[in-house]
């Protein structure tokens, strides 16, 4: 009966040890996997975003001015003189600038008028100088920051407008139309619009880069937090593994001690039995 109970006990102990070994294997795998995941997360670094792009180069479109030449379309608002009310007067610069630009614009306008078969006198030096000063005031004012590129583009666009066949035909049918002032005002407005759009584009690009940098830094911070949590999981599972391993060691020691004790008891019983047999044999011999 005792042997059967001992066999049953050992059977269940074996099953329990198999379960413990399985759990130990899982905890060890979990600890190794969590450690590897933590190492990967700690290795994360913020990726550099795509650099901020410059605004694409755009030019004033002459076709936008030509659309205004229709009789039923409103003309360009805000004459040149109105801009002087928006800005404070500047000290007169010493250097003479934009003289060639003023001459070219007057020359293109004069050619356009002549091609329209309109009688006109050549502009005098005073008119050219007055227009040059107006270009300098508009181009070099600090609040506008237009500069030489504005004056260069003004020549190109103005001449393209004045010498366009549609403008020449329009002048033939509308001899009193002030194409000169309309063209200059159109270019000022279109130039400033394009410049504002370019500035907004570049500002948006800088904001995008800043946002992407913040998102990358946040992602890396989250990776570090995930790595710390993974290390805690790895430490916990490894601690469970060590506790179970210690339990198995103690269980093995206990089983060995039990076997040794059982062997000692059996050996003692055998010796006692042998001693009893020897005593009986001695008595029988004496008789």
């Amino acid at each position: 009966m005792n042997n059967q109970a001992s066999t049953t006990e050992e059977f269940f102990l074996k099953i329990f040890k198999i379960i413990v070994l399985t759990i130990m294997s899982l905890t060890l795998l979990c600890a190794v996997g969590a450690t590897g995941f933590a190492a990967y997360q700690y290795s994360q670094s913020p990726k550099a975003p795509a650099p901020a792009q410059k605004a694409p180069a755009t030019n004033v479109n002459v076709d936008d001015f030509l659309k205004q030449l229709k009789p039923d379309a409103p003309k360009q608002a805000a004459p040149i003189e109105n801009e002087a009310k928006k800005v404070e007067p500047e000290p007169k610069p010493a250097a003479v600038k934009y003289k060639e630009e003023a001459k070219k614009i007057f020359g293109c306008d004069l050619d356009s008028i002549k091609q329209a078969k309109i009688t006109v006198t050549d502009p005098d030096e005073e008119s050219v100088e007055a227009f040059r000063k107006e270009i300098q005031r508009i181009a070099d004012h600090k609040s506008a920051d237009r500069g030489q590129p504005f004056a260069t583009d003004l020549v190109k666009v103005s001449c393209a407008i004045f010498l366009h066949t549609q403008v020449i035909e329009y002048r033939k049918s509308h001899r009193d139309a002030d194409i000169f002032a309309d063209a200059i005002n159109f270019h000022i407005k279109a130039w400033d619009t394009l410049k504002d759009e370019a500035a907004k584009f570049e500002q948006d690009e800088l904001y995008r880069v800043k946002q992407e940098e913040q998102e990358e830094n946040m992602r890396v911070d989250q990776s570090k937090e995930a790595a710390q949590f993974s290390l805690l999981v790895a430490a916990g599972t490894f601690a469970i593994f060590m506790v179970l391993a210690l339990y198995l060691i103690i269980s093995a020691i206990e089983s060995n001690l039990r076997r040794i004790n059982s062997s000692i008891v059996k050996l003692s019983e055998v010796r006692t039995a042998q001693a009893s047999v020897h005593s009986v044999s001695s008595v029988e011999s004496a008789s």
Side-chain angles (χ1 to χ4, degrees), residues 35-45 220 223-231:
T35 303
F37 181 76
Y40 171 75
Q41 293 296 335
Y42 265 121
S43 66
Q44 295 295 311
S45 59
V220 172
S223 297
K224 302 297 184 185
E225 292 177 359
Q228 293 176 358
F229 179 76
S230 297
L231 286 178

Side-chain angles (χ1 to χ4, degrees), residues 16-211:
F16 184 72
K17 287 180 180 180
I18 292 173
I19 295 174
V20 170
L21 288 172
T22 303
I23 295 174
M24 287 177 65
S25 300
L26 293 176
T27 54
L28 185 60
L29 289 174
C30 183
V32 173
T35 303
F37 181 76
Y40 171 75
Q41 293 296 335
Y42 265 121
S43 66
Q44 295 295 311
S45 59
K47 299 177 181 178
Q53 301 294 321
K54 291 290 185 181
T58 52
N59 298 317
V60 178
N61 191 355
V62 177
D63 292 336
D64 292 338
F65 177 81
L66 298 178
K67 296 175 182 178
Q68 301 177 126
L69 296 179
K70 297 178 181 178
D72 56 346
K75 288 190 175 183
Q76 181 73 23
I80 297 177
E81 292 77 7
N82 286 353
E83 188 164 328
K85 299 177 183 179
K86 300 178 183 178
V87 296
E88 297 179 359
E90 288 186 277
K92 185 176 180 179
V96 177
K97 300 172 65 177
Y98 310 121
K99 188 171 184 178
E100 292 300 320
E101 287 81 356
K103 287 182 178 180
K104 289 180 181 179
I105 293 173
F106 263 108
C108 292
D109 184 55
L110 185 62
D111 290 343
S112 176
I113 294 174
K114 289 179 178 180
Q115 291 183 39
K117 309 300 182 182
I118 300 174
T119 304
V120 65
T121 57
D122 293 343
D124 53 22
E125 288 295 327
E126 292 182 358
S127 299
V128 175
E129 178 61 20
F131 182 59
R132 184 202 68 77
K133 291 180 179 179
E134 189 69 9
I135 294 177
Q136 185 170 359
R137 180 187 67 79
I138 296 171
D140 292 351
H141 200 280
K142 294 179 180 178
S143 63
D145 188 26
R146 297 183 180 102
Q148 181 63 49
F150 167 82
T152 302
D153 193 67
L154 177 63
V155 174
K156 183 181 72 173
V157 174
S158 298
C159 287
I161 290 174
F162 296 148
L163 299 177
H164 198 281
T165 55
Q166 186 176 339
V167 173
I168 294 173
E169 294 299 323
Y170 185 83
R171 270 181 157 165
K172 288 180 180 179
S173 58
H174 300 77
R175 292 178 175 271
D176 296 333
D178 192 3
I179 298 295
F180 185 87
D182 289 348
I184 301 301
N185 285 321
F186 164 77
H187 183 268
I188 294 172
K189 184 176 180 180
W191 175 274
D192 289 345
T193 299
L194 292 176
K195 186 177 179 181
D196 291 342
E197 290 176 352
K200 183 178 182 302
F201 178 86
E202 293 179 359
Q203 186 66 29
D204 291 342
E205 280 293 292
L206 292 175
Y207 178 76
R208 175 189 64 79
V209 171
K210 185 177 179 180
Q211 285 293 107

